[in-house]
Structure formats: C-alpha cells, structure tokens
Amino acid sequence: MNLSKLKQQTCLLAGLLFCLIQPAFAFGVQQFIYPDTALSNSNNSMEIVGQSNASIFVAANENKGVLRAAQDLQNDLRAVTGQQLPIIHDLTAATGNIIVIATIGQSQLLTQLEQSAKIDLTAINNQWDAYQIQLVKNISPKIKQALVIAGSNKRGAIYGTYDISEQAGVSPWYYWADVPVKKANTLITQLSKPIVEIPKVKYRGIFLNDEAPALTNWTNKNFGGYNHQFYVNIFELMLRLKANYLWPAMWNNAFADDDRQNMVLADEYGIVMGTSHHEPMMRADKEWDRDGEGEWQYSTNRQNLYQFWQRGVKRNAPYESIYTMGMRGREDSAMQEGENIKLLEDIVADQRQILAKQIKDKNLQDIPQVWCLYKEVQAFYEKGMRVPDDIILLWADDNWGNIRRLPTQAEQARSGGAGVYYHFDYVGGPRSYRWMNVTPIAKIWEQMHQAYVFNANQIWITNVGDLKPMEFPTEFFLKMAWDPEQFNQGNLDEYGIDWATRYFGKKYARQINDIIKVYTRHNQRRKPELMSEKIYSLLNYNEADRIKDELESYLSVAESIYQAIDDNKKDAFYQLVLHPIKATTIVSKLYFATAKNHLYATQGRSTANDYKKQAEDLFAQDAALKAEFDALNGGKWQHFMDQPHIGYNNWNNPAADTLPVLYQYQPHSAAEMGLTVTGEAQAFPQKGSFELIFDSVGEKVKAIELFNRGLADYDFSVQTSANWLILSKTQGTVTQQEQIKLAIDWKKLSVGKHQTSISVKGTSWQAAQIKVTAIKRAPDLVKKAIGFIEADGYVSINAAKFTNSQKVDGYHWDTITGLGRSSDTISVFPKSYRQFTAHQPHPSVEYPVTFFSTGTFELELQLLPTLSYFPDRTPKLGLSIDDQPIQILELDLSTKKSAWDTAVSEGIRKVSTKIKINQPGKHTIKLHSLDLSVGVEKILINTGGLKPSYLGPNSSSFK
C-alpha cells in the first residue's frame, strides 16, 4: 500500500471516529477537546498532551486577567493529565504545538496572523466579550500548529481559555460543588473550522443576597468575612460560567469598603461590578453608616448625599462598573418622600452631573448606568418619570419569578436598552423563601425567553441568595444569558440530561434530570417555607400520599445512584442531586405526618401518637441532614444550611427551625370503634352516618376505615342486603385500624341510580350507617364516549393533551416541557407583540369531552401567574364550548391585589367561569389565544362532585 493511500485511510478512520464521538455536549460550545490519541492523525487535529506536549503562549503585556486565566489553564491541564505545560511569553522560544491566548488590540501576534491571512477575526472584531477559537498551521518556522484563542476583549480571551479547561475535564463547579476532575492521559483538539462565540445578552450576572445566616457564617469561618480571598472564588466561578456582572453581598457588608482589594481584583479578573437596585452610585447601603452624614433623604440632605455619591464615583472611576441610578429608602425600603417624581428626576440629574465630573475619560452616555424599576419604582415610571435614554431600564420580576414588565415597541428605541432582575431567593411577602432551590429551569426559560424576544438583553441578573444550593438554576440562567436561542420549549429535558452527563456520566443522566425536575416542581408549587399541615389533602384524590410516594420514589433512586457512582463523585452528587431531594422529602413528610396527627387526634384514633412520633423523628432527621451537610468534605460547606425553614407563621423566618404543634392523644384502656370513609374528615361515633357515591366510569374502589379509639382489640361485623356490593371483608378484629374495600358489581345493575346501606357494628349497640349510591351510565353512551370522560362529578384536563390545534400566521399553541405543578403547560409561540381578537382568525386548541351530566357548571382554568408585560394591555384568554359564543377572560394579576399573594404562594393562577351543557354526550372545549403571554396547565370542570384539594384530581380518563 502506498503512503498516500495509507494517509487517506488513516484520515478517514480518524474522521469516522470523530463523527462517532461528536458531540459530547449538546449545549454550549461545540466539543473541540478530546481525550483520544486516535484523532492525532487527522489534518484538523493537534496534540495538546500526549507524545509531545504543547506550550501555552500568552504575551507578557496581556491583561492581568488573561495572564491569570493562562495560569488556571496550566493548573487545570495538570489536574487532568498530570502534565504541566510550560507558559511562555516569548514566541521565539516556542516549538512544536502551542496554545495561544490573546486579545485583539493587545496582541501583536494576532495582528501578524491577520495580516498574513492565516486568521480572520472579522466576526468578533469590536464585539462585546466575544472570542474565536481555531487551529492555525505554521505560524512560524518552529511552530507546527497553534490552537488560537482570540478574544475581542480580555473577557473574551478568558472565556475561550476556560472552554479548554471545561472540555478537558475541569468543571466550573470544581470548587463550589466539588465536581471531580476527569482524568486523561492525552488531550487532542479537533477543529475543522473556527468556533465563534458572541454573547447575546451584554451583562450576565448574579446577586449574592439575603446572605445571612448561611453564606455569612461560612465566609466568616473560612475567610474572615467578605474579603478578596472570598471574592476571587466567586469571580473565577463567574468567568468559568461566562458571567461578567456582580452585585455583591450587602446585608451588612460594603464590597469596596470592607476590603479595598475587592474592587481591584474584580477589575483585574474582568468582573463588571455594580451595586444592587437600591444602592446608588457604587455605594453600598452600609457605607452610609460609615461615611454618610444626616438623614437618607435627598429633599432635606442633598449636599451630604451628593458628596457621599461623589466620593463613591471618584473611588470607582478607574474600574469597570455599572452605576445604579435613582434612590430608594434605606435597607431596600420605599423612599420616605413618597412618590415625588420631580425629586427623583432631580436626583438622577445630579447623579449624572457627578459621573460627568468624576469620569473624564468617557462621554457621559458611554458610562454604563442602570435604573432598576423595582417595586414602587416601576410605578414612578408608569406615572411619567423618565431618565435619559442612555440609561438601561432594568425591569424586575415580582420576586417570585414572574416578570412585571418588558419593553414596549416604543421603548425598544431607547439607546440604553433594557434588562431583567430575576429571583431564585427572596425575603419578603407573602413569605420569604431562601433555603432550597425552588425554581424549575422551565420556569426560568419561559420568563427569560420572553425577555429576550422583547429585547430586554442588556442585563440579565438573578438573585442567587447564598449561591449554594442554587447551582443548577444559576448555571442554566447564565448559559441561557450567553445564548438564549439554543433553548426552546421542547429541549429543556435535553439540557438537564446533558448537564447530568457532563458532571456524572451518561449512565444515570436521565434519572438525575428526573430527580431535579421532581423536587423543583414540588418546591415551585409550594415553597418549603410556605408548607403547612393544611396544604395537601389527606382526604381527597389520595393527594398527600401520592406526593409523598413520588418524593420517596425519586429519593430512593437518588440514594441508589449515590451508592453506585464512583467515590470521587459522591460529594458533588450529594450537593447537587441527593441533598436537595432528600431535604425536600423530609420537610414535606414532616408536614404530612403533622396533618395525620392532627386529623387522627381529632377523630380519636389511637394511632394519632404514631404520627406525632413520626413528625418528631422527621424534624430530627432534618437537623441530622444539616449536620451531614456540615460534615461534607471535611466540613468544607459547614453553615450553608443554616437558614431556618420550618415553622414560618409570617413573612419572615423564625429564629430557628420550629417543630409544628403536635397533638398528644391519650386513648383509654378499653376497646371502642371508630370509623370513617373515603373523603370524610369526621368519624364515628361523633358522626353516625356516612355516604359513598360510585360512578360506573369513575373510581373503582372506595374504603371504610375502622380504627380503635382505645387500646383493647374489638371485633366488628358488616351487614348489607345489596348483592351488587362487593366488600373485601365482612367481619374481623381491629387492633389499631382495618380497611374494608368496597366495589360495585356493575353487571348486576341496570342503568340509573341505585342505593343501599351498610351497617357496621363494633363495640356497642350502636352501628355506623353508610349509604352507598351507585350510578350506572348508559352503555351506549359510554361506548360512544371520546376524549376526556366525566366521572365522579368532575372533568380534569391536562392542557398539554389537546387534540386539534389551529395555527394562524405561524402562531400556534405548544407545550413547555416541565413547566407546571403536576403536568406540562401550553402557551402560544412564537412570542411577539401580536394580539388577536375573538372575531379574527387566532390560534386555538380543542379538547373533546364526554359529559353524562347537564346543567351549568363551574370551570376553573389553572394558568401561569403571568403579569401584564405591557402597560397598555391586559392579558386575555378566550374559552368556548361547542358553538357557543367565546367568553373573554381578563387575566389581570396586579401585585397589589390579594389574588397575587394566592397565585404566587400556590404557583398557579386560578380563574373560574361558568359553562352550560345542555345535553349529555360529546362536547368540545376550545381555548382561544388572544394574548401570547398566557400559559395554561389545567382545566377543571365541577359537575357536582369535585372535592377540595391543592392540585385537583389527576387527568380524567381519555379515549
């Protein structure tokens, strides 16, 4: 075989192998680093570590942040391979293969490569935070190949450098979540064409907030406070996640004043610093206590405040910053001057005067400034307050993940643009939530996708609380901020699986994604701090036990994976997967046990104390789990679970976790019958008669529960005259409790309503009476039934199970995977300013329903708690039955209304209306899209038997 043919076959083999292993990661930068020597023979590959190691070239005149990133890369590659690649600053000393890290405008080498047409950087030139990665051959006689990372600025070069680290095997969370380094003996880069990465959101950031007690206790223990030794770990994580903007911890801290190196190092690293929504002009709230004089009121203390802000700008002028404009009250409260719009406009004018005087190397309009329209500040804007067009308008969510406002078409013309301030954590009403991750990524996507569509793309910043345990949503938020277009309503599961694959391998990735979905969905529908024993129903639809079983099932999967995975992954898996589902499950079960204790004690069950003991044990398990977290990895994360989370009774947390009130029931020593039936809270002997209703197309089995009110056993007997009633037992002995299951032999019944009674006798001459009603539906109507079938007095429809869908001008209803309290949500895509009317073609979906009942019924829509994004419109949704006129439902959810408290507490907006069904049989329910922001999860129709519960019944049967 001749040499030419051998080379062709070798290259073909390498190309086939390349195809087989591409892509390892479905999201983010395409894979270009591989632990595989077989690729080294490809024309488009370069060996980094292997038979010969590459050098890392970075010019000595590069920015300090770029030089530091090069050292991180050296350390990362050594951690992966055990080999230390040399860092060189003199290109003439380089031979063989090199990695080049360089910044446009700073690098003479990049200029030379462009002039010699070996590289074309047009795509990233003058772009913000962009970078380009490509292989370049023969950049000098001694350099065979170079992997060139070219940044449009220093951050771009840093981001590209960290791409190599991550793909080589070093996670961004190697420090903050103990994700282990993936070991490899060799590293090869394979790249046939340049990678070009340009962020679509300019400032992508996090806010460390509500940081006491957890983060504060941790920083005090490990670093002595919020100093630069702490913050460099935050800066590095942010850069590895391609973030660039930070609001620092501020509850009792002042970033630039606590440690003067904080600001210096932030700028060196490439982090753009800001101050939170209520801290103007780069001055922390606490600095006023140290460096201010007089009242925090501009109307009475203008001179001192002016000078205070001026000193702040002078201090921060050398560093890259975004200046928060305007003014609120101290400690994030409203201004004492009230809605004085003229005063606020004067404040902003004075602040801009300070900026113009103190920052002389930039035009005023080029100094980044932001006005955060948070809480009452948005009302100032809506009432006419305006700031210069070059100031970024930062719209806020409602603190519960629902964006309050987005730019109108007219506002998009502003040169400053707009952004969004979002929350994963909050202190305030209706209840603070700070302890656990409660935000599904589907919720983040649904909201931030609309922010991107409506051009709020200058700033995306999210309140991450203590940072841990918000790792998963934080990474998603920042990855989406870099490129929102890589995510859509149907690929969020793929992202979760990809994330799990990157950190824990492919084998368990799908299960890990499901675990995270389950606990975040559960926490979104009711945050742990809002939980109580009264939330989920013990009586109807098996709700509490169903949720408990689901949580326990996924916890069991998580514990099995934990036992099976490699030892070096256990700490990371515990933090990112196992602990959140376990903590969530324990607290939920605590409240379920409390609920049973209360119910059973009220009923007089001798087992009430068993659930008291169970609740006490679960409370102890929660404390033990905190101690377990504190001991993790030699105590590295001690204090991160210090946040109290059990026993809230107002918006603020208790001083410490507080066991709910539990009942001690003292049963007597004799035997005494107690009895109740499915769905009934009251019990015999307080209540003497009960009723059970069966529907031939509904629930097949119901139950009588016999229990002991005393400590001695008793015998029972059951009597009925109906031969169509099936009983699981007719006599027996009760020690603590026994269940008698009931079913109907429908073959023995004719169409219509049938009634009988059951008598249950126990310890006395008295007997409990249970009336049983059986409703048999007409077989021909049942046979013809299609769609969602009415049964047991209700119809429950998961909105994602629509049948026919009408598309108009490309607009159509689609499913948002993973968004919803118990099922997925639908909304109309694509998003735009478009509105429809009921009298013109509009997107719609249909649900076939078979009714056996007739009359006027209540229909409840369960919707996303979406706010009105634009001031000139109220979200609307149309609903119709068959050919009846379309009902127009207005969905205004103002944050000042009590309905908002309920909606955000329950994670859903409930809207009720009436529908009329004139005859039994098939009917069609139709949803009509009039406003594109509306999302629908569930439709519930009460035909006379719907029982109270938190989530409502599962979906009705469908055929």
Side-chain angles (χ1 to χ4, degrees), residues 210 251 374-375 398-400 425-434 530 648 650-653 900:
D210 310 326
W251 264 24
Y374 182 73
K375 289 191 176 180
D398 62 353
N399 303 303
W400 291 73
D425 160 289
Y426 178 59
V427 170
R431 189 70 62 82
S432 301
Y433 63 96
R434 304 166 58 190
L530 274 157
Y648 279 67
N650 59 70
W651 70 267
N652 200 13
N653 60 262
W900 174 84

Side-chain angles (χ1 to χ4, degrees), residues 546-604:
R546 176 163 45 93
I547 292 169
K548 178 178 74 71
D549 290 347
E550 179 186 52
L551 290 171
E552 287 181 335
S553 172
Y554 281 92
L555 173 57
S556 178
V557 172
E559 288 175 326
S560 296
I561 295 172
Y562 180 77
Q563 294 302 321
I565 60 172
D566 295 340
D567 287 346
N568 69 334
K569 296 178 181 176
K570 288 186 186 297
D571 280 355
F573 184 83
Y574 183 92
Q575 293 167 62
L576 299 175
V577 184
L578 177 56
H579 178 267
I581 181 72
K582 191 170 185 178
T584 297
T585 301
I586 288 172
V587 169
S588 299
K589 288 174 62 178
L590 165 62
Y591 286 110
F592 296 154
T594 301
K596 286 192 175 182
N597 167 255
H598 288 188
L599 176 64
Y600 290 0
T602 302
Q603 292 176 338

Side-chain angles (χ1 to χ4, degrees), residues 354-373:
I354 292 169
L355 292 173
K357 287 180 179 178
Q358 296 298 321
I359 304 176
K360 297 182 173 59
D361 59 342
K362 291 181 181 177
N363 294 324
L364 179 60
Q365 62 269 25
D366 295 327
I367 301 170
Q369 302 158 61
V370 62
W371 186 34
C372 186
L373 299 158

Side-chain angles (χ1 to χ4, degrees), residues 804-808 813 842-846 926-929:
N804 297 325
S805 175
Q806 176 174 303
K807 181 186 291 188
V808 175
W813 289 87
H842 54 261
S844 62
V845 284
E846 295 180 359
K926 202 170 185 179
L927 296 180
H928 305 263
S929 175

